[in-house]
Amino acid sequence: MFRDFSKRAFSLRWGANIPVLGRLVQLKYHSQYETMGLEDALKEAFGEELLFGGRRHFQSPSRCKVAVTTTDTNKEARLLTNYNRATKIKTPYQFQRFEKPDQEMFTWEAARATSAAPGFFRSFYHTRNSHTYQDGALKLNNPVLAADYERQCVWEEGPQRLPDVLVSIGTGFFPDVKVNSGDPGPRTGIGLVNGAMTFVNIAKDAIETELDCEKTWEDYVQCAVPEGNDRRNRYHRLTLEIHGPKIELDAVNEMSRLQDLTRAYYKENTYLIDNVAGQLIASLFYFNVVSRVSMTVTGNHSTCFYCRKTLTTDRSGMIKCRLPPDIAPKGSLKKIARTLLEMRFNSSFLFTTAFLALDPNVFPARQFRIYPSINSNRWVPAPIDDAMLYSVEQRQNNFQVQVTFDLNDPSVSSAIYLDIPSFSPQMISGFPRRIFGQDLATCERNLSPTYFYHLPTNMSLVLKASPNLSRYNSSISVPQEPFPKPKSPF
């Protein structure tokens, strides 16, 4: 599909391939390729749907946030997005959001704007908002810094926490094209021609430095996660080292060779893809703390009741999935549940578990590993049972695994790993962290010292602490006749 798209997009202007005439054509149109073919291909691929706002064919709470980089003709980097957010921090680019809905861009227009590489395609003038856009690579060729800024603006905990996993995908680099050997460069001459060539070379080197994606990535990682940090293995750069002469941007005939090189490289290094895939899957799951509670409510109708709750260092909670319940037969959460159901224990496990201890290296597990302390090898298993997965797949229920564990030292960071066959155990979202310290404020908000309820006459409610969330110890006595729903004055 992309190969056909590229052939349609890179349609040469008349005379652009003739040595002398081609330069004149490029100077006149500021491009050597027709924009009509590119725009038609983009319209066919994305349709007439707005990037932000408007009616959509499919709405989902888990809709992915997408940002497109582009450059205005005033040389200012801009971000075109399908979401809105508050301006919390100063960024090296402009987050573009217009006052009038009709000024927003269609998805194909955003793709056209970020594809307007000077010399290849003409700049894109948007008639409804009067902006002229050029290639986003002129300012943000590797947009990893913009992605990091955006996560800090979109999510409240962004500035305080490192991302669960960050993947940057490149299009290849050429280590043999320019090698800094340390030898002295050529001496620059004097005169009008030599002076002009010197300025041209300086400008060319500045552009190439700005477009150096690998250097941008290395500088970002070094600043974000210093050497020796245990979270550095969650930052991934997937690209291809291509030896030999540089392949130009418009070399459509080289696509087959590049595909073969990419397949061959990652076939020999499958662990790179497996590691990224495992971390991405694990980051879909997160842990919600439900502290052990002791609460008693008694009284009569129209009376405010005083409830006392206690907070302990024992931790109970739910491991949940970010994906919401699916209505569609082939929804994302159903696919996750179906895949996990296929990851069953092997047949010999059924005959040996009664006599032998479970060895995760021999019998593939489908569970979460809970390490109350990351400094210890002791962990608590939390199996992912079939009944829950069937309810997710067949009844559109939520994914949730109940867990209970003790924290001997609440000041120590804990960790929870997803442990499934074919992947090495990977930490779920938000870990490692101090569960007691970081979740204490949330628990205290949920378990504040006083609550006031209006309960009906002769109703008593008693909730007791449960050693395991799978076994609730509660008793509720209510009148036989219907009664109105309890109201809260808050």
Side-chain angles (χ1 to χ4, degrees), residues 6 30 57 104 110 120 134 142 169 186 208 218 227 241 282 285 314 390 407 431 452 477:
S6 301
H30 299 175
H57 298 294
E104 295 290 344
F120 294 94
Q134 292 179 331
N142 185 339
I169 301 177
E208 289 182 353
E218 292 171 1
E227 194 75 39
E241 185 175 332
F285 301 94
D314 297 341
Y390 277 121
L407 292 175
F431 285 91
F452 299 93
S477 60

Side-chain angles (χ1 to χ4, degrees), residues 161-179:
R161 292 183 180 178
L162 295 175
D164 295 319
V165 56
L166 193 152
V167 182
S168 174
I169 301 177
T171 56
F173 65 99
F174 305 89
D176 302 333
V177 173
K178 184 176 180 180
V179 180

Side-chain angles (χ1 to χ4, degrees), residues 345-346 349 357-367 369 371 377 379 381 419-423 425:
F345 297 103
N346 58 37
F349 171 78
L358 175 61
D359 183 358
N361 297 320
V362 178
F363 305 106
R366 190 184 63 191
Q367 63 185 359
R369 294 188 182 190
Y371 289 81
N377 293 327
W379 54 276
D419 182 13
I420 56 178
S422 303
F423 297 103

